Amino acid sequence: QVNLVETGGGLVQAGDSLRLSCERSGGMFSNYAMGWFRQAPGKERESVAAISWSSVTTYYADSVKGRFTISRDNAKNSVYLQMNNLKPEDTAVYYCAADRLFGRLKTTQGVDYWGQGTQVTVSS
């Protein structure tokens, strides 16, 4: 059983930075691509960023390109999302996800595992 636990959310002001962390337990971490999703109130869950198991390939939603950076440390079974220059529209619950297929982390369809989510609130 794979378990994903996110930490690092909080309340910040526009322009601030936050770093989200996700630690995975169970399974073979290095065999899975990892990703971050978010869901704002009244909106559908959307993919924010993804990283392949080798860290060679990454994906970013257009709305976060140049501001967010995804990284992973397979030795620590962890994936991170560095969020800079945060905007009020980044306010959402952020979810960590794992999947054997990198491409599936660009959508919400068929993702293997989800974390419980962490709230990020950006005030203007």
Side-chain angles (χ1 to χ4, degrees):
Q1 180 65 29
V2 173
N3 189 40
L4 303 175
V5 178
E6 305 98 332
T7 57
L11 172 62
V12 298
Q13 293 186 333
D16 285 351
S17 298
L18 271 179
R19 188 190 194 211
L20 303 182
S21 299
C22 171
E23 185 172 355
R24 169 181 166 146
S25 59
M28 293 290 290
F29 183 73
S30 61
N31 289 344
Y32 280 76
M34 302 293 294
W36 289 94
F37 290 73
R38 67 186 181 186
Q39 188 166 17
K43 294 187 177 182
E44 294 186 352
R45 191 172 298 189
E46 62 176 356
S47 176
V48 174
I51 187 167
S52 64
W53 70 270
S54 65
S55 300
V56 168
T57 305
T58 57
Y59 160 80
Y60 295 96
D62 287 343
S63 58
V64 306
K65 281 181 181 177
R67 299 189 298 121
F68 290 12
T69 302
I70 189 170
S71 61
R72 66 188 292 165
D73 185 339
N74 290 344
K76 296 182 178 180
N77 291 334
S78 294
V79 63
Y80 310 98
L81 187 67
Q82 177 67 42
M83 304 185 294
N84 298 330
N85 190 24
L86 282 161
K87 303 176 180 181
E89 52 263 43
D90 294 319
T91 295
V93 177
Y94 283 71
Y95 297 90
C96 177
D99 200 284
R100 289 159 292 176
L101 298 179
F102 175 82
R104 279 211 290 248
L105 293 171
K106 298 180 182 179
T107 76
T108 59
Q109 301 301 315
V111 172
D112 287 340
Y113 302 103
W114 295 98
Q116 83 290 347
T118 185
Q119 177 70 47
V120 172
T121 303
V122 184
S123 63
S124 57

